[in-house]
Amino acid sequence: MDVSKSWSCALFLGYGWEILPHPAHSPDLATSDFHLFGPLKRHLGGMAFETEDDLISELRNWFDNLDVDFFRVGINSLLSRWHKCIDLHGDYVEK
């Protein structure tokens, strides 16, 4: 898929952000892998859900109650990870 033609690309460009290419399947540069899933996993830890709708409701509640800084920190930390990835010639980036 040509990312330059996606709706998300247009949205990012609208905020004046530069779209940087990154390797596919690069968890060290995917905010969902290094910033989102850890806190979400901790939040859901030990919970049990009767139905899929109960799980979806809890997920929506969790996302709705996240502070905007949570997302800002995740996006801003991409810059340092990008530089580490470049310095390591694409090898895996540790914390």
Side-chain angles (χ1 to χ4, degrees):
M1 176 172 90
D2 182 359
V3 92
S4 65
K5 295 179 181 174
S6 72
W7 67 267
S8 58
C9 181
L11 178 67
F12 292 136
L13 293 174
Y15 285 111
W17 293 355
E18 180 181 356
I19 305 294
L20 300 174
H22 66 84
H25 314 295
S26 179
D28 22 291
L29 296 177
T31 55
S32 57
D33 284 345
F34 76 82
H35 187 71
L36 176 65
F37 291 143
L40 179 57
K41 183 178 174 181
R42 285 188 294 279
H43 174 75
L44 295 175
M47 292 185 181
F49 301 96
E50 296 281 328
T51 67
E52 184 176 326
D53 286 339
D54 292 341
L55 170 61
I56 291 170
S57 177
E58 183 60 33
L59 289 171
R60 286 186 175 147
N61 184 48
W62 186 75
F63 278 106
D64 287 345
N65 288 302
L66 286 175
D67 189 75
V68 69
D69 285 333
F70 176 83
F71 299 101
R72 185 176 292 118
V73 167
I75 291 170
N76 287 336
S77 63
L78 279 173
L79 182 60
S80 64
R81 286 176 173 267
W82 178 261
H83 286 292
K84 285 180 185 179
C85 187
I86 291 170
D87 293 342
L88 296 171
H89 305 286
D91 284 345
Y92 185 78
V93 175
E94 294 290 332
K95 284 188 175 181

